[in-house]
Amino acid sequence: MPDDTLIHDPDGGMPRLLEIMRRLRDPDTGCPWDIEQDFDTIAPYTIEEAYEVADAIQRRDWAELEGELGDLLLQSVYHTQMGEEAGHFTFDSVVRNISDKMVARHPHVFGDESRDKSAEQQTADWEAIKAQERAGKKETRTLDGVALGLPALMRAVKLQKRAARVGFDWPDVSHVVDKITEEAAELVEARDTMTHEAMTEEYGDMLFVMANLARHLKIDPEEALRAANAKFTRRFESIEDALAEQGRKPADSDLAEMDALWDAAKAAEKA
């Protein structure tokens, strides 16, 4: 029988969590589901947990955030356990790697560089250090290293930022707006004359330029869309609440009535 002392020690800290994951993955005595998992199957859970952390922060639910951060930490532990089993890396090597990276990227804190610089200069220095790291990894192309798994809008902005660093960028926001108008017109044309695949391509082009507009306006498009989703949810639920007071549901209403209730909810928010 294995020694469960650490497993059941509430003050066991990080060693306890690492041991729990090791035991879950034990091929002889572990959990059948956990044993079957690999990097590909766990990756979607990792992404989901990161979004749940962001959701708890947005809702300012600090008790919930504590739990979600634990769930996200578990994802790192899961991946490092699988990495150790495969001989790729260990939890200690992962910790050492990120610690070394943070020290190297903050010479104005941990080195002899001056801290007396603007936020813009610090950002420029950070990007220069990251560029050196990419060169060391043989990532020589401008767009190398922009993760494929990022949300599409976020990745679009990162790609555009990289291209802008080498001068491939519109000089001002008016050119971006003109391009949005052009892409919107092409999308309307695609709707009437092109295949679904061509229409999808034109829609993607328009979203890409919308992301570019967000970058020029210094707006996070993911954050903006999350806020728009929340606003839509809030106002539509106001429609449902108003209809429920009459013993009805949206399916019992019509567009004109729901539009009026939407406008009422919008006006109430701005009052």
Side-chain angles (χ1 to χ4, degrees), residues 181-194:
T181 302
E182 175 188 330
E183 295 293 350
E186 290 178 359
L187 181 58
V188 171
E189 178 185 352
R191 180 192 62 181
D192 297 331
T193 64
M194 296 184 185

Side-chain angles (χ1 to χ4, degrees), residues 9 29 67 84 108 111 117 128 141 165 181 185 201 204 210 213 228 271:
D9 180 3
T29 61
E84 183 167 359
H108 56 293
K117 60 178 76 173
R141 292 180 178 271
R165 284 184 213 149
T181 302
E201 180 179 348
M210 288 297 295
L213 177 62

Side-chain angles (χ1 to χ4, degrees), residues 156-250:
V157 171
K158 285 184 175 291
L159 291 171
Q160 292 160 6
K161 283 182 177 179
R162 288 280 189 89
R165 284 184 213 149
V166 296
F168 192 72
D169 194 16
W170 280 297
D172 60 67
V173 74
S174 65
H175 293 79
V176 187
V177 174
D178 290 342
K179 187 64 175 177
I180 290 173
T181 302
E182 175 188 330
E183 295 293 350
E186 290 178 359
L187 181 58
V188 171
E189 178 185 352
R191 180 192 62 181
D192 297 331
T193 64
M194 296 184 185
T195 64
H196 182 75
E197 289 76 13
M199 187 163 55
T200 299
E201 180 179 348
E202 294 297 341
Y203 181 72
D205 290 344
M206 188 167 72
L207 281 179
F208 192 81
V209 183
M210 288 297 295
N212 211 333
L213 177 62
R215 181 177 62 86
H216 276 266
L217 295 177
K218 301 188 183 332
I219 293 171
D220 180 340
E222 290 282 342
E223 181 180 337
L225 187 55
R226 282 197 298 271
N229 288 340
K231 180 168 61 177
F232 179 86
T233 301
R234 188 171 61 247
R235 290 178 180 175
F236 190 81
E237 287 178 348
S238 293
I239 293 174
E240 289 183 312
D241 291 343
L243 291 171
E245 290 178 0
Q246 305 171 24
R248 297 191 294 150
K249 297 180 179 180

Side-chain angles (χ1 to χ4, degrees), residues 27-271:
D28 296 320
T29 61
C31 169
W33 186 90
D34 287 288
I35 295 168
E36 289 180 0
Q37 304 313 304
D38 57 29
F39 291 112
D40 293 322
T41 61
I42 292 298
Y45 295 102
T46 307
I47 295 169
E48 180 181 344
E49 296 299 350
Y51 276 112
E52 290 181 358
V53 166
D55 179 69
I57 292 172
Q58 190 170 23
R59 292 185 286 107
R60 296 297 188 265
D61 189 335
W62 309 126
E64 182 79 8
L65 178 60
E66 179 183 32
E68 297 299 348
L69 286 171
D71 291 342
L72 186 58
L73 176 60
L74 180 64
Q75 295 299 305
S76 292
V77 169
Y78 214 127
H79 286 289
T80 54
Q81 174 63 33
M82 292 187 292
E84 183 167 359
E85 293 166 3
H88 300 320
F89 46 76
T90 67
F91 183 82
D92 287 342
S93 71
V94 168
V95 171
R96 181 172 61 252
N97 184 287
I98 187 59
S99 298
D100 289 346
K101 183 186 295 184
M102 288 300 98
V103 171
R105 289 185 180 180
H106 293 84
H108 56 293
V109 176
F110 305 112
D112 54 8
E113 285 192 10
S114 172
R115 291 179 63 250
D116 186 18
K117 60 178 76 173
S118 66
E120 290 77 10
Q121 183 58 52
Q122 288 186 10
T123 299
D125 291 349
W126 176 277
E127 293 298 340
I129 293 171
K130 286 183 11 181
Q132 292 174 359
E133 293 172 357
R134 288 195 297 272
K137 298 177 182 177
K138 306 263 192 284
E139 294 178 356
T140 57
R141 292 180 178 271
T142 302
L143 305 181
D144 282 349
V146 181
L148 291 170
L150 289 172
L153 279 176
M154 184 185 298
R155 187 165 193 266
V157 171
K158 285 184 175 291
L159 291 171
Q160 292 160 6
K161 283 182 177 179
R162 288 280 189 89
R165 284 184 213 149
V166 296
F168 192 72
D169 194 16
W170 280 297
D172 60 67
V173 74
S174 65
H175 293 79
V176 187
V177 174
D178 290 342
K179 187 64 175 177
I180 290 173
T181 302
E182 175 188 330
E183 295 293 350
E186 290 178 359
L187 181 58
V188 171
E189 178 185 352
R191 180 192 62 181
D192 297 331
T193 64
M194 296 184 185
T195 64
H196 182 75
E197 289 76 13
M199 187 163 55
T200 299
E201 180 179 348
E202 294 297 341
Y203 181 72
D205 290 344
M206 188 167 72
L207 281 179
F208 192 81
V209 183
M210 288 297 295
N212 211 333
L213 177 62
R215 181 177 62 86
H216 276 266
L217 295 177
K218 301 188 183 332
I219 293 171
D220 180 340
E222 290 282 342
E223 181 180 337
L225 187 55
R226 282 197 298 271
N229 288 340
K231 180 168 61 177
F232 179 86
T233 301
R234 188 171 61 247
R235 290 178 180 175
F236 190 81
E237 287 178 348
S238 293
I239 293 174
E240 289 183 312
D241 291 343
L243 291 171
E245 290 178 0
Q246 305 171 24
R248 297 191 294 150
K249 297 180 179 180
D252 304 319
S253 182
D254 57 32
L255 180 58
E257 181 182 26
M258 287 191 286
D259 267 342
L261 293 172
W262 176 279
D263 290 340
K266 182 177 177 180
E269 288 183 359
K270 294 183 176 181

